[in-house]
Amino acid sequence: MLFRSKGYLQLYANRSRILLDRGQADLALQDLDYCLSKNPNLVNALTNRGVAHAMKNEWEQSLVDLNKADSLQPNTSDILSNRALVYYSVNRFSDAVRDLVKYIELNPEDADNINLLGLAYLNTNRNEEAMKSLNRAIELKPREAAFYFNRSLVYRNLKDRKGELEIGRA
């Protein structure tokens, strides 16, 4: 019977991703809670529920779901990037760095997460690593103004006014 198959639960989990993309976290949570009541180890449902809780600023529950998903399927890109964003959002910058380094090993061309890594490094006073990451992000997406601004924060942290002025020339 379709209702008892794992494929049926997968459809709910997939639909929840569409709802999340539309910003409908509450509706997604309804589907995900149903999925996980039938199969508490469905990794993409746990990951999506972690994202839904993060969208609602329910950080602890988000981490519970993302950590469980990671324990079932370690070092998965989607889990790592979402958990890193949650860690960053709750000022757990060292944890964000750990997940982002693993993520970037798997996705070395993701400029947005390389930028986030640079900011996480900055917030842990690891300025050289921050500069390296932000320069890499700029290399990958040279038209992204936010990356230049973020790099200026590193220069400011280092008290290097020349660096702050450089962003106006880029």
Side-chain angles (χ1 to χ4, degrees):
M1 181 172 174
L2 178 64
F3 294 107
R4 294 185 185 175
S5 73
K6 286 185 180 183
Y8 178 71
L9 295 177
Q10 197 63 48
L11 290 174
Y12 269 93
N14 292 343
R15 182 173 74 173
S16 73
R17 190 70 218 183
I18 294 167
L19 292 169
L20 290 172
D21 289 343
R22 293 179 181 168
Q24 297 174 310
D26 289 322
L27 290 174
L29 281 170
Q30 290 174 14
D31 281 356
L32 295 164
D33 288 342
Y34 173 77
C35 283
L36 293 167
S37 74
K38 302 298 182 190
N39 180 355
N41 295 323
L42 194 59
V43 172
N44 71 330
L46 284 164
T47 304
N48 289 348
R49 191 167 72 175
V51 170
H53 283 297
M55 288 174 71
K56 296 178 63 156
N57 297 332
E58 297 169 350
W59 308 115
E60 290 305 315
Q61 186 57 49
S62 177
L63 287 173
V64 167
D65 288 335
L66 292 168
N67 286 334
K68 183 173 181 182
D70 186 60
S71 73
L72 295 168
Q73 196 170 328
N75 299 322
T76 304
S77 292
D78 198 30
I79 298 167
L80 290 170
S81 65
N82 284 304
R83 188 171 61 182
L85 187 56
V86 172
Y87 282 141
Y88 188 88
S89 297
V90 297
N91 299 326
R92 289 177 56 181
F93 302 116
S94 295
D95 292 324
V97 166
R98 183 195 65 231
D99 279 358
L100 286 164
V101 166
K102 288 179 190 175
Y103 173 85
I104 291 164
E105 286 174 4
L106 301 170
N107 303 279
E109 304 295 312
D110 185 335
D112 294 318
N113 276 305
I114 293 170
N115 174 66
L116 184 60
L117 176 61
L119 291 173
Y121 278 138
L122 176 63
N123 282 290
T124 56
N125 293 315
R126 294 167 63 182
N127 293 308
E128 287 183 28
E129 291 105 325
M131 187 64 72
K132 182 178 175 186
S133 294
L134 292 166
N135 283 337
R136 177 69 178 138
I138 290 167
E139 179 183 309
L140 291 168
K141 267 179 127 173
R143 294 185 179 264
E144 187 64 53
F147 296 174
Y148 292 93
F149 175 78
N150 294 339
R151 186 174 67 179
S152 78
L153 297 175
V154 177
Y155 284 117
R156 180 173 295 143
N157 207 37
L158 295 170
K159 311 282 189 269
D160 180 354
R161 297 289 301 167
K162 178 183 174 205
E164 285 183 356
L165 298 174
E166 179 183 333
I167 66 168
R169 287 186 257 132

